[in-house]
Every structure is written in C-alpha cells, then in structure tokens.
Amino acid sequence: MSGGDNGNGRLALIAAGGTGGHMFPAQALAERLLAAGWRVTLSTDERGARYAGGFPEAVIRKIVPSATTARGGLAGKLTVLPRIAVGIARAVAAMRRDRPAVVVGFGGYPTIPAMSAALALGIPRMIHEQNGVMGRVNRAFARRVQTVACGTWPTAMPGGVTAIHTGNPVRQAVLDRIGAPYAPPGDGPLRLLVIGGSQGARVLSQIVPDAVAALPDAMRARLSVSHQARAEDAEGVTATYARAGVAAEVRPFFSDVPERIAAAQLVVSRAGASSLADITGIGRPAILIPFAAAAGDHQSANARALADAGAAVVLPESVLDAASLTRDLHAILSDGTRAASMAAAALSLGRPDAAARLHDLVTELAA
C-alpha cells in the first residue's frame, strides 16, 4: 500500500488508552500521518499521557476525563459514569471547535469520550484492535464505526462485523531495525532480553533470574542479561544475577527496547501485542509467557501464531517454573541452528507495513 497521500493539513484524532500496548501502535500511526501532512491530536487520560513521551512533538495532547469499572471500590465505581460524561462533553466541544476528518480508537477506557463524541457528531471513525481477543471498549464500538482493523489474525469479532487485517503498527525505532542480521548463539557472547510489558512483570522477576542461575557455568560466563523489572523487584533481581555471576542490567523501563531486541540472541517476554509486533518485526527467537489474568486470555491468543510457526516457545503461567524455563533457555541458546530457524520464522510473521496499511484506511475513510 502506498501510504503517501498528502493529508493537506486535515486533522486526525487518535484516541488511545493508558498502556504501552495501546499507545505504541497509536504512536506509529501518528508518525505516519504527520509524515503525510496530517495534523494529529492524541486524546488520552492522565495515565496514558505517561506513555506519550515518544510521540512526535507535533502531536497535540488532549487529556480527557475517563474511568474504568475494572478497578476501585464501590465509591470509585459510582464516579465512573459522571467522569465519562464530562469527558464526552469536553470531547464534543473540542471537535466542534476543530472538527477532525477522522477519529481512530486504539482501545482502553480513555478512548470512550473521543469515540462517543465522534459518534454523536457523525465524524468518520474506525478502531484498531491489537490483540487476538477484542477488548471491552473496542467491542462496544465495533458496530458503531465504519472500519475495524486488527493486528492479530484471526481476531474474533462481534456478529456482523468484518475486520481488515493490517497487523500491529510498530514505531520508527523498530522499522529502523527491520531485517537486522541475527547472530545465532555460538561460542561468543550471549545476550538475553527479558521484557514484561510497560513496567516489567513480577512473575518474570521471580522465575527468570533463578532459571538463568541454573544454566551451565560456561553458558552463564558468556551471558549478559537486560531485564525489565518493576522498581520494587529490581534489587532482588539484581542480587540473584550477581550471585550467579551473570552480567545483568535491570531497569523498570528500557527506552531502547528495539535496539536491545536486535542485539539479543533470545527474548523472554509476555505476549502483549506490541511486544510481539516488535519481536516479529525485527525477527528474534522468543520464549513467551502469556499474562494469565489478561482479559479474555488474549495474550495466549496473541502467542498462538508464533508458536504454530516455530518462532517461539510458549510457557503458560500454569506450568511455569524455574526448571522448565532453564530447560528451554538452554535448548535454544545451545542450538544455533534452531535459534536461527526461530528468528527467520519470527521475521516471516512481521508486518512492517502495518502503519502504512492503517494510514491508507484512514485516508480512504476521511475521503
């Protein structure tokens, strides 16, 4: 697809929720639209704004009140509808002042005000679902938009809704490393990347360091680990690697994840849609540990295509322990041929043109 039409200064409003899984693909579309001459506004809430640091400066940020019924006690739940109503009223007023040509929702409760306002004002609108199981908010709007795009295929849709498979857009930092040569594990240095989502994952911090510590001495001596762990877990994770004699960098957040994926022989990761888009875009072997509590078990659905293609080993939390992870780490890091085959399989699943495909859908819808 071309993705080269000039936006002629038209406004695209992108609505995205407060997790990296929603915000990273939204950022990728924003980058593409700006390059084509569009004006872009991001509509999110306070939580989402924390993930907007990577958006280009030209993107206007609008913080709108929203809320979720999934968290908080009774008092919190009673404030949900009033907060959302205020958010919708503000979004309607903003769109009347500067009417978007199109509104694109990426899911999460912060998208409710913008999508509701677009519906009320008759503005062309579409949604993009990143996961293999549709989120609650996207499901609620799926029959009320002109276009539904999805990143994971297949994704179950509500009755009567037809989706277009675009793939999950990746940021420019990932596109810059598409097809970066893979160095299979051999006799030289080994690099392992451990990522658990936007802020790390406690179960990975509990299991991965012990699993690494049980690898053979000769393998540990050549290993360096980049491990994304929550701040409260970092000290314990660092200490376990140090006792095992493993060089490790432990942080709550890596701003250069694409660079670290490209440098890694193996990635241990949750199965969030944006993480998998990065891993397959660059093409690296993975051990995936789907988040068991994810809504609709969507991370297991996300991981299925990689497992079926031979690009990843999937370890459900229900069977995850240090011994099983040590087994799989050793099996991949000691077999360069298998690792290279997994890397190639991962690369074959990547959709580096996903942002261009989404851009084309936006342009067609706005026309």
Side-chain angles (χ1 to χ4, degrees):
M1 294 194 179
S2 65
D5 297 314
N6 194 306
N8 293 320
R10 288 178 295 178
L11 174 63
L13 190 144
I14 293 175
T19 68
H22 297 307
M23 298 295 281
F24 290 150
Q27 177 186 329
L29 177 61
E31 291 169 348
R32 191 84 188 191
L33 289 169
L34 286 172
W38 287 75
R39 292 183 297 126
V40 179
T41 292
L42 170 68
S43 178
T44 189
D45 65 354
E46 294 89 346
R47 183 168 166 240
R50 297 203 299 266
Y51 296 94
F55 278 72
E57 288 184 11
V59 174
I60 297 169
R61 278 85 160 165
K62 288 194 181 297
I63 309 301
V64 296
S66 187
T68 171
T69 58
R71 291 182 294 276
L74 177 60
K77 294 186 190 309
L78 290 175
T79 67
V80 168
L81 289 179
R83 280 178 60 81
I84 291 176
V86 169
I88 293 172
R90 290 185 185 175
V92 167
M95 289 183 196
R96 282 182 169 149
R97 287 193 300 270
D98 190 4
R99 187 179 178 91
V102 63
V103 174
V104 187
F106 281 85
Y109 278 82
T111 67
I112 292 175
M115 297 302 294
S116 299
L119 179 63
L121 296 175
I123 294 170
R125 57 207 171 273
M126 62 179 284
I127 58 176
H128 178 274
E129 172 59 52
Q130 299 86 55
N131 296 297
V133 175
M134 201 167 227
R136 282 189 290 263
V137 174
N138 276 351
R139 180 171 287 275
F141 283 101
R143 292 190 181 92
R144 297 172 174 86
V145 299
Q146 286 84 10
T147 305
V148 177
C150 63
T152 301
W153 195 260
T155 297
M157 290 289 139
V161 175
T162 301
I164 299 168
H165 180 213
T166 59
N168 281 311
V170 293
R171 298 153 287 161
Q172 189 60 45
V174 177
L175 293 176
D176 290 343
R177 290 166 177 83
I178 295 294
Y182 175 62
D187 297 329
L190 298 171
R191 291 186 180 87
L192 177 69
L193 175 63
V194 184
I195 47 177
S198 299
Q199 294 295 331
R202 171 155 285 173
V203 68
L204 300 191
S205 295
Q206 293 170 335
I207 301 291
V208 177
D210 288 338
V212 168
L215 290 169
D217 293 349
M219 185 174 283
R220 292 203 315 275
R222 296 185 288 123
L223 188 63
S224 62
V225 180
S226 298
H227 187 131
Q228 188 184 55
R230 300 194 303 182
E232 58 266 36
D233 299 329
E235 186 177 342
V237 170
T238 301
T240 302
Y241 284 128
R243 285 194 300 270
V246 173
E249 186 177 359
V250 181
R251 291 191 205 168
F253 184 79
F254 290 119
S255 59
D256 58 348
V257 166
E259 183 178 331
R260 291 173 189 267
I261 292 174
Q265 272 73 45
L266 178 61
V267 180
V268 176
S269 178
R270 287 301 205 185
S274 63
S275 294
L276 299 192
D278 291 354
I279 290 167
T280 57
I282 296 169
R284 294 298 180 260
I287 296 173
L288 302 177
I289 302 166
F291 178 39
D297 196 23
H298 68 250
Q299 289 205 358
S300 293
N302 294 348
R304 199 166 295 130
L306 280 77
D308 290 347
V313 171
V314 178
L315 277 176
E317 279 191 46
S318 58
V319 300
L320 177 66
D321 57 25
S324 59
L325 183 55
T326 299
R327 174 199 67 208
D328 291 334
L329 287 169
H330 183 265
I332 297 168
L333 291 175
S334 63
D335 187 344
T337 301
R338 179 187 179 190
S341 175
M342 292 176 71
L347 189 61
S348 74
L349 296 175
R351 300 297 292 265
D353 63 344
R357 289 170 176 266
L358 261 188
H359 166 273
D360 288 354
L361 291 177
V362 169
T363 301
E364 291 165 13
L365 184 57

